Amino acid sequence: MRAAVVSKLEGPEAIEVLDIPEPAGYPGGVVIDVHAAGIAFPDVLMTRGLYQMKPPLPYVVGCEVAGIVREAPEGAHVAAGDRVVALTLLGNAAAEVAVAPVDMVFKLPDNVSLESGAGVLFNDLTVHFCLRNRGRLAEGETVLVHGAAGGIGTSTLRMAQALGAGRVIAVVSTEEKAEVARANGATDVVLTDGWLAAVKELTGNRGVDIVLDPVGGDRFTDSIRSLASAGRLLVVGFTAGDIPTVKVNRLLLKNVEVVGAAWGEWAMSHPGYLREQWEEVAPLLANGKIAPPEPVLYNLEHTAEAVSALDKRTATGKVVVTLR
């Protein structure tokens, strides 16, 4: 089979498309003919050996797929011919065939294409975890998201109102990205230059209830300043590269929280949680309350470019590699 392979930890440019053997099935594994594979920021880090989990070399790029079940364990909730999305754990996604644990495979609603489906699990379930579990989003609250034109950002814009938000403010760096944010459901958009003052004005100086931050870097302190009383700042990642610090007196003065939101760690340590999430998210996708993502598509031969787009922060929306 053809697959996008990392053989040396030299960044996205080192990704090669090679012919390799199909993966062997295993007990409890679902064999999937892959149509599309999702790419996320951890894939960038993995190509340099900088992610907290390190697959042994060589490995296949990506951790989420959409495709058609070829073979499933007897009695499983999916069967041969089903349209599914799945998490493949460390790598093993950007290949013509993948095997995923049966409890990480989910039927895809009929109204969601396989290309869009490849962009659902990693980002949408991360955002669901952030807003529902860690952010404790209440009906009508205001959510602000940094990096709003990226994968996690556009997922937040697509999902927040369906999960109860009354207002969703997008922070972006360019007018082009502002259009992406509006297209994905932002009620308000502000540019990074002067964003805090703009948010204060939009909210009548009250501030926002939740900040979802996958960026980190030097805007972190201003994110705390942007919170209303009892607001929550959700730490999702550090695509800016720098890991910020916080002076805890700022939390005390405003009765606000800085909350870690590591979806992967939670899902791995809470068996059955992924299924609980999908049971809420899938019907919202099926009835149109959450719009499917409109991913940026690259074919398999251009996987290195797909991962590089995330590395260089030029990607808007979810990045997906197509295989069929």
Side-chain angles (χ1 to χ4, degrees), residues 246-272:
V246 58
K247 292 184 177 180
V248 295
N249 65 305
R250 296 186 183 278
L251 312 184
L252 179 64
L253 290 172
K254 292 187 66 177
N255 285 299
V256 297
E257 303 171 48
V258 174
V259 184
W263 165 70
E265 187 280 333
W266 189 273
M268 291 302 99
S269 60
H270 291 74

Side-chain angles (χ1 to χ4, degrees), residues 135-281:
R136 309 184 306 280
L137 174 64
E139 193 73 26
E141 287 191 318
T142 297
V143 174
L144 180 146
V145 59
H146 289 294
I152 291 292
T154 52
S155 179
T156 304
L157 299 176
R158 290 172 34 251
M159 295 183 67
Q161 288 178 287
L163 298 178
R167 189 176 197 178
V168 190
I169 302 173
V171 182
V172 296
S173 58
T174 67
E175 288 293 346
E176 178 189 9
K177 290 181 178 180
E179 290 304 311
V180 172
R182 292 186 185 98
N184 280 277
T187 56
D188 303 275
V189 181
V190 299
L191 296 178
T192 51
D193 185 17
W195 73 268
L196 178 59
V199 168
K200 290 287 189 180
E201 183 176 354
L202 281 172
T203 61
N205 213 43
R206 174 185 178 273
V208 302
D209 300 292
I210 293 176
V211 173
L212 196 150
D213 183 14
V215 178
D218 57 10
R219 69 184 72 177
F220 193 79
T221 298
D222 278 349
S223 289
I224 296 173
R225 293 188 176 113
S226 77
L227 291 171
S229 178
R232 290 83 73 198
L233 169 53
L234 307 180
V235 180
V236 185
F238 313 103
T239 59
D242 295 329
I243 298 177
T245 57
V246 58
K247 292 184 177 180
V248 295
N249 65 305
R250 296 186 183 278
L251 312 184
L252 179 64
L253 290 172
K254 292 187 66 177
N255 285 299
V256 297
E257 303 171 48
V258 174
V259 184
W263 165 70
E265 187 280 333
W266 189 273
M268 291 302 99
S269 60
H270 291 74
Y273 181 66
L274 291 176
R275 176 68 51 192
E276 292 174 16
Q277 287 191 285
W278 192 246
E279 286 175 356
E280 180 175 358
V281 171

